[in-house]
């Protein structure tokens, strides 16, 4: 069955069901009203019989009072009065003759014995059990239909004549259910026929209306087919056939195809946006994208370095709200936009003597329709020079590493040969006897020096060997907490406290956690050794643009100015038992992570800031939300622990 046919049939069936329900309620309400009318009419007749009964009793008792005051004599006198009162008999017979629903009328005494009745055979007989017409009046529709159209029986309307506030005589008006059925059937049949005709008319109208309502589906299907390409490569959904007569099926298939295309394109746009965000997060240049009405729609993370305002504060703002004309950078940018031309690497000197290059690129719509937007690039010349220097240092270190690895390999082989021959010489001298004991001492000295040289070469080879990184996203706060716990016992023994100050939000970095822990532990132990009399080491963690920054500051003796430039050199040390490898290895670990390691120191004993501060910089993880990272820099820090 076609989908359109199913919809029409469903709408028609629903309409028919609603009409049937409403018709049933309507007919039931009519039946209830008719029963109420019948009950009211019979109640009036019962009251009339009660009045005539009272009149008969009063007249009869005055004419023939009871022979004595007994109850039996009174009942006999009342019965005679009722039987001999012709107006009562006439009223009862008139009710039977003219009422279409009444079967009998009876007057019963307090004991339930029929005294007078329109049915002579029931006189002096007990009255039988009958259903109440009042109960039928207040019952449900189903109960009323069952009582009226079910098995024939008699319904009763009752009125009492009281004596001394007690029922003395009771008037019963019996209504035959068959009479009610015969009275109700004509109009009930007409009402049912009307309801059926109404249901059929409603079904026809619903079917016509459903067809009219579904006719635009054909036009919708044609318009949708124009939007969706029909080539099989563009979608995994089957293309609807133009000859298919079921428009609803064609619309459904076309919508499915359009949905699949939208999901595919959305996935592509999402991946493109993720790549773009990753590129902007790692870019040192500030990039701002403006619409044709000069409203910022995209702001890179590095813009905060130039404007001291976060990305969340700038997106959606107008150009004039972002750049102030009374600043050098703001005036240059506003003039560049006002000129309406491309701007390439225009240099601006800021108030703090920094030099920034401004580039302005207009984005056309490609259709000759005009400007779609503008791309503004801010580049710090000092950062460019620093980046160039870092690249040059990295290139030189790589070359030195290759050279060192080669030299270590070439030196180690002769050392191994010399050690072997030295052992042979030791054996021969031992066989020669005590007379060569002096030569044996020189051989031992040579052996010790050869072993020391071998350790130096091995250390050099280990240092120059490429490190294999296992990079995972880590919360830098947890990494530092683990290092502090590892060194806590040794710090306590040397009277050194460690105070850690971290932001509330996570600082996610992509690092080899073991190597970074080793680098941090080296710096922490160096800080402890710089304070032989104890003190406090302060570790501060915060975010600076796209870098997570860790500062480790001690209160030690400091590093002399002439020694400071050499502390990262391999084998350079000022300690009596130092190896000169720790800081060089720490520097290398930061370098292979794309980070940096800086140091500042004040050895002046009288200075309040005496001591050394090492600053580590690690790139933030590319997947970290820019808003979360910016919130981390703006919130107040809290001390997560102080270890004694």
């Amino acid at each position: 069955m076609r989908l359109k046919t199913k919809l029409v049939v469903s709408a028609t069936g629903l309409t028919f069901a609603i009409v049937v329900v409403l018709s049933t309620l309507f007919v039931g309400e009519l039946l209830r009203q008719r029963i109420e009318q019948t009950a009211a009419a019979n109640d009036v007749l019962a009251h009339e019989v009660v009045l005539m009964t009272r009149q008969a009793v009063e007249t009869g008792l005055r004419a023939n009072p009871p022979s004595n005051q007994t109850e039996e004599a009174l009942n006999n006198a009342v019965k005679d009065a009722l039987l001999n009162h012709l107006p009562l008999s006439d009223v009862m017979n008139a009710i039977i003759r003219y009422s279409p629903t009444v079967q009998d009328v009876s007057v019963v005494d307090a004991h339930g014995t029929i005294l007078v009745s329109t049915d002579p055979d029931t006189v002096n007989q007990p009255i039988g059990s009958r259903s109440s017409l009042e109960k039928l009046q207040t019952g449900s529709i189903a109960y009323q239909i069952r009582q009226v159209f079910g098995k024939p029986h008699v319904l009763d309307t009752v009125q009492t004549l009281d004596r001394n506030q007690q029922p003395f005589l009771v008037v019963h008006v019996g209504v035959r259910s068959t009479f009610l059925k015969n009275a109700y059937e004509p109009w009930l049949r007409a009402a049912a026929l009307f309801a059926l005709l109404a249901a059929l008319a409603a079904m026809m109208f619903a079917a016509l209306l459903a067809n009219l309502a579904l006719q635009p589906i054909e036009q919708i299907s044609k318009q949708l087919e124009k939007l969706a390409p029909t080539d099989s490569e563009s979608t995994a959904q089957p293309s609807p056939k133009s000859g298919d007569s079921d428009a609803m099926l064609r619309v459904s298939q076309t919508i499915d195809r359009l949905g699949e295309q939208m999901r595919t394109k959305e996935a592509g746009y999402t991946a493109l946006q993720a790549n773009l965000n990753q590129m902007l997060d790692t870019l040192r240049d500030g990039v701002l994208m403006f619409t044709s009405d000069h409203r910022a729609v995209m702001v890179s993370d590095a813009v905060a370095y130039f404007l001291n305002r976060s990305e969340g504060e700038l997106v959606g703002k107008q150009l004039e709200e972002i750049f102030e004309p009374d600043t050098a950078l703001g005036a240059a940018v506003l003039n560049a936009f006002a000129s309406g031309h491309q701007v390439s690497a225009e240099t601006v000197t800021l108030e703090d003597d920094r030099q920034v290059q401004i580039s302005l690129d207009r984005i056309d719509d490609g259709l000759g329709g005009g400007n779609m937007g503008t791309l503004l690039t801010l580049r710090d010349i000092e950062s460019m020079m620093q980046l160039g220097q870092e690249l040059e240092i990295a290139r030189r270190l790589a070359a030195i590493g290759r050279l060192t690895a080669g030299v270590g390999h070439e030196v180690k082989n002769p050392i191994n040969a010399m050690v072997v021959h030295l052992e042979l010489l030791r054996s021969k001298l031992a066989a020669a006897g005590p007379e060569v004991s002096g030569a044996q001492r020189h051989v031992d000295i040579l052996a010790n020096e050869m072993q020391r040289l071998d350790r130096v070469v091995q250390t050099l080879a280990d240092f120059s060997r490429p490190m294999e990184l296992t990079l995972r996203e880590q919360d830098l706060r947890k990494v530092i907490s683990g290092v502090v716990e590892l060194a806590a016992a040794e710090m306590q023994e040397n009277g050194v406290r460690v105070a850690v100050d971290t932001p509330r939000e996570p600082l996610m970095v992509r690092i080899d956690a073991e190597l970074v822990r080793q680098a941090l532990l080296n710096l922490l132990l160096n800080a402890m050794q710089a304070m032989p009399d104890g003190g406090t080491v302060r570790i501060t963690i915060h975010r600076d643009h796209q870098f997570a920054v860790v500062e480790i500051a001690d209160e030690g003796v400091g590093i002399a100015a002439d020694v400071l430039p050499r502390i990262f050199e391999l084998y350079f040390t000022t300690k009596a038992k130092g190896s000169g490898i720790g800081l060089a290895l720490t520097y290398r670990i930061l370098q292979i992570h794309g980070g940096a390691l800086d140091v500042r120191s004040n050895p002046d004993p009288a200075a309040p800031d005496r001591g050394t501060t090492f600053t580590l910089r690690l790139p933030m993880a590319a997947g970290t939300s820019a808003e979360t990272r910016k919130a981390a820099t703006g919130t107040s820090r809290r001390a997560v622990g102080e270890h004694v």
Side-chain angles (χ1 to χ4, degrees), residues 429 436-446:
L429 289 175
V436 293
S437 59
Q440 184 70 39
R441 184 173 61 83
H442 293 296
V443 170
D444 292 339
I445 293 174
L446 287 175

Side-chain angles (χ1 to χ4, degrees), residues 584-626:
L585 182 61
T586 300
Y587 187 88
R588 186 177 179 219
I589 290 173
L590 268 293
Q591 186 186 46
I592 64 176
H593 278 86
L597 178 61
D598 298 322
V599 61
R600 66 179 185 271
S601 183
N602 187 351
D604 185 3
D609 59 343
R610 184 190 184 192
T612 304
T613 300
F614 286 90
T615 302
L616 297 82
R617 293 178 178 270
L618 288 168
M620 299 290 294
T624 305
S625 169

